[in-house]
Amino acid sequence: MMEAVIFGAGQVCAEILPDVEKQFRVLYIVDNNKKFWGTKLKSYDVKSPDEAAGRVCKIIIASTRYVFEIAGQLKRMGMAEDDILMCSGFYVGERCTYDIHPVNEKLIQIKDTQLIKFDTLKNEEITCRNTKVLIGVSFFSTFAVQLIKNLSKRYQNIEFSLLTSDEKYYENTLLFKLGHLYIYKSYTDLKTILTLLPTYDVIHFLWIEAEWSFYANLARRKAKRLVLTVGGSDFYRASEPEKEYKRKLILCADYINLENSTTRKEFIEYYGREVSKKTKLVPYGMELLDDIDEMEIVSDNIKRKELNIPPHKIIVTCGYNAHSAHQHLQLVEALGNISDDVKEKIVCVFPMTYPVGKDVYIQSVSEALNKKRLDHVIFTDFMSDKLIAQYATLSDIMIHVQTTDALSSAMREEMYGGAVVIAGKWLPYEILYEKGIYFLNVETVEDVPEILEDVVKNLGFYKSKCRNNRCLIRN
């Protein structure tokens, strides 16, 4: 059995150990954090990374967040790239599984099988004159569903197919007609699919994820036109090693869609003028606006009851998902400083329905809210478009202090529904100012209580200032 050292003594290491032990004889674990040195994880000693320098064995990176940094560190230590393995997480329902594979794409062998094996729809390839478009998105996204559904209606001559690791899309295929629904559960599966695919007129990746960058050259060969859509996290939350890792995909793309001019400017500044001609401003459409219009006729009492929100209280929305980038804990700490009379008037609502696997974090937010004696509701169950639209018509105030963002659709939906938005001044929302859309800014999370108190005490005044937002958002 081949020997291996695991790099990283955190949660990912504990989760992959059973699978690693089936394939390798684990020598020990190394970690950059000195506090782990001299301890044990399971039966394995945790040591300094220096212990692995010059060792002839495989090094398995047990991290999904810092994989690019660690891979670079190992190469600087003299480890051959062919000896470095990484693990990539794939969600099956609520459970995350890991695929352990080489960081060198050339070392991954494709499966001896047919393409139809990966097609959940089991459609044979049929040569036709229709334009063929392949959408690539690793995780389930309602935006991807809406995109394909609406494009399928508008362009009858285009055959749309989907490449993803999330089987949940299969449940939505009644909403749109797909030529193929290719599902991969490992990097070997993905390489096999991309190798066996016919050439597509367009391959469009939503968003610039690790998988697409890993197989950039292979995807390029399969696309007459390669299109990328940049999300806020793709660029703003990526470390420099990750940005550099994505460069090869960005340079070989034909078109790159971004949501606002500020992000486009910063994107070009980082990747160079050579990408400027292929960048396009393409904001996401918001299908939910029509649903919000329909919900206006439903009484607030009925909507509150369905969403388990107390009657009469002013609803303050805090973020829109369970990602820690929304700074929930910092926000709760700040909200604890508001006066008791304002606390009595409000209920803080935390939509935390995605991403999956955030139960521990959500529990920590709940405990912090209880400690600060803040009346609150936390949404954790999947919400239909109807429920999201209902809530958008109820929300009075939204606090949006995410660390980074491109142009939040959830925030604009709340604006459309009539909420007064308090947003971080650091977010690139110049386009909203240019359109005349009214919202408030804070310099830091700690500044939220002062502005929130003023808005709660003068809610009618601030709502009147937001009255034109609905028309401006729709336009």
Side-chain angles (χ1 to χ4, degrees):
M1 187 176 285
M2 193 176 300
E3 293 181 335
V5 170
I6 300 177
F7 198 124
Q11 181 182 347
V12 174
C13 179
E15 291 177 354
I16 68 171
L17 257 176
D19 288 332
V20 172
E21 289 171 329
K22 293 175 185 177
Q23 305 173 55
F24 302 93
R25 186 168 76 83
V26 179
L27 301 173
Y28 47 83
I29 299 166
V30 300
D31 197 285
N32 283 324
N33 193 332
K34 293 181 180 180
K35 75 176 184 180
F36 291 130
W37 299 355
T39 65
K40 283 185 178 290
L41 179 58
K42 298 296 178 68
S43 60
Y44 300 105
D45 293 326
V46 181
K47 305 181 180 184
S48 161
D50 293 338
E51 296 287 336
R55 186 95 199 199
V56 181
C57 65
K58 297 296 182 183
I59 300 284
I60 301 169
I61 301 173
S63 171
T64 54
R65 184 175 180 182
Y66 299 109
V67 62
F68 307 107
E69 290 88 338
I70 295 173
Q73 179 182 346
L74 289 170
K75 291 175 186 177
R76 291 192 298 274
M77 289 169 58
M79 294 295 300
E81 184 180 70
D82 290 0
D83 289 328
I84 304 173
L85 305 178
M86 62 188 285
C87 61
S88 302
F90 294 92
Y91 275 96
V92 180
E94 299 291 314
R95 189 172 65 89
C96 183
T97 60
Y98 293 94
D99 174 38
I100 300 168
H101 58 87
V103 298
N104 186 345
E105 178 261 321
K106 295 177 182 177
L107 296 180
I108 297 179
Q109 302 297 314
I110 67 170
K111 294 181 177 179
D112 183 14
T113 186
Q114 294 180 314
L115 183 60
I116 197 170
K117 178 190 173 185
F118 300 97
D119 184 2
T120 307
L121 304 178
K122 301 302 179 188
N123 288 335
E124 296 282 358
E125 278 296 332
I126 301 172
T127 302
C128 62
R129 288 185 295 176
N130 283 359
T131 300
K132 291 180 180 291
V133 174
L134 179 70
I135 306 289
V137 54
S138 69
F139 59 93
F140 182 79
S141 164
T142 54
F143 172 75
V145 172
Q146 292 172 1
L147 178 70
I148 298 171
K149 182 180 74 171
N150 288 313
L151 288 177
S152 297
K153 288 179 182 176
R154 298 182 188 191
Y155 303 102
Q156 301 293 322
N157 65 321
I158 298 178
E159 178 192 277
F160 290 94
S161 296
L162 186 61
L163 175 62
T164 182
S165 65
D166 200 322
E167 296 176 350
K168 192 174 180 181
Y169 284 103
Y170 183 72
E171 303 166 13
N172 290 270
T173 50
L174 292 177
L175 298 175
F176 46 74
K177 185 178 179 182
L178 277 178
H180 306 278
L181 176 55
Y182 298 114
I183 307 288
Y184 61 91
K185 290 300 179 186
S186 69
Y187 271 51
T188 300
D189 286 352
L190 183 54
K191 184 172 185 177
T192 304
I193 293 169
L194 288 170
T195 301
L196 297 176
L197 279 178
T199 299
Y200 274 80
D201 295 290
V202 176
I203 293 180
H204 187 165
F205 289 135
L206 305 172
W207 287 252
I208 308 179
E209 300 172 85
E211 291 97 314
W212 319 137
S213 299
F214 193 84
Y215 289 119
N217 294 332
L218 187 51
R220 173 70 272 182
R221 292 197 295 270
K222 294 293 180 173
K224 294 179 182 176
R225 291 288 183 273
L226 182 61
V227 183
L228 311 177
T229 290
V230 180
S233 59
D234 296 343
F235 181 61
Y236 288 119
R237 294 184 203 164
S239 63
E240 187 163 343
E242 185 178 349
K243 286 178 181 175
E244 289 305 312
Y245 183 76
K246 293 175 178 179
R247 186 181 288 274
K248 61 181 178 180
L249 179 63
I250 288 163
L251 292 181
C252 72
D254 295 294
Y255 299 102
I256 302 170
N257 301 333
L258 300 107
E259 277 207 271
N260 65 71
S261 56
T262 302
T263 303
R264 178 177 182 266
K265 177 176 176 288
E266 293 173 357
F267 189 86
I268 293 170
E269 284 176 353
Y270 184 86
Y271 285 108
R273 299 300 304 176
E274 58 201 295
V275 305
S276 62
K277 290 184 179 179
K278 52 188 176 185
T279 58
K280 310 289 180 182
L281 287 179
V282 186
Y284 299 145
M286 292 188 293
E287 186 177 75
L288 203 70
L289 300 189
D290 294 334
D291 296 317
I292 293 172
D293 289 341
E294 292 178 10
M295 287 298 114
E296 293 287 357
I297 63 173
V298 181
S299 77
D300 284 358
N301 287 336
I302 291 174
K303 289 183 281 193
R304 283 178 182 256
K305 187 174 181 180
E306 188 167 0
L307 291 162
N308 294 314
I309 296 174
H312 311 306
K313 287 213 168 190
I314 294 171
I315 298 172
V316 179
T317 307
C318 302
Y320 61 82
N321 67 36
H323 199 289
S324 60
H326 283 275
Q327 305 192 85
H328 302 101
L329 293 172
Q330 297 93 319
L331 179 57
V332 173
E333 183 67 27
L335 292 177
N337 296 322
I338 60 178
S339 61
D340 288 340
D341 64 318
V342 170
K343 278 187 182 179
E344 290 175 4
K345 292 178 182 178
I346 67 173
V347 55
C348 297
V349 178
F350 286 71
M352 304 181 86
T353 62
Y354 70 96
V356 298
K358 295 291 184 178
D359 295 351
V360 173
Y361 179 68
I362 293 171
Q363 181 61 32
S364 69
V365 173
S366 178
E367 290 170 359
L369 285 161
N370 289 327
K371 186 176 179 181
K372 295 295 182 182
R373 296 183 294 108
L374 289 162
D375 192 8
H376 64 275
V377 175
I378 300 178
F379 297 147
T380 56
D381 294 333
F382 173 79
M383 295 176 71
S384 65
D385 287 350
K386 174 190 170 187
L387 280 179
I388 296 172
Q390 277 191 12
Y391 182 74
T393 63
L394 283 176
S395 180
D396 295 300
I397 303 165
M398 182 186 192
I399 302 172
H400 181 55
V401 288
Q402 195 172 199
T403 53
T404 63
D405 188 38
L407 191 59
S408 167
S409 294
M411 180 188 69
R412 286 178 288 158
E413 288 159 3
E414 294 249 345
M415 288 174 164
Y416 187 79
V420 180
V421 169
I422 301 171
K425 196 172 184 178
W426 57 87
L427 297 170
Y429 293 158
E430 284 77 5
I431 188 172
L432 300 180
Y433 291 118
E434 291 168 4
K435 298 293 183 183
I437 294 168
Y438 181 82
F439 61 103
L440 299 165
N441 275 323
V442 287
E443 295 279 355
T444 69
V445 176
E446 289 72 25
D447 296 331
V448 168
E450 182 179 354
I451 292 184
L452 179 61
E453 292 225 9
D454 186 40
V455 174
V456 170
K457 292 174 182 177
N458 302 282
L459 188 59
F461 167 75
Y462 282 105
K463 286 221 170 189
S464 68
K465 301 266 287 181
C466 297
R467 194 168 292 134
N468 290 334
N469 285 356
R470 189 182 190 91
C471 177
L472 295 170
I473 292 288
R474 168 66 76 173
N475 289 340

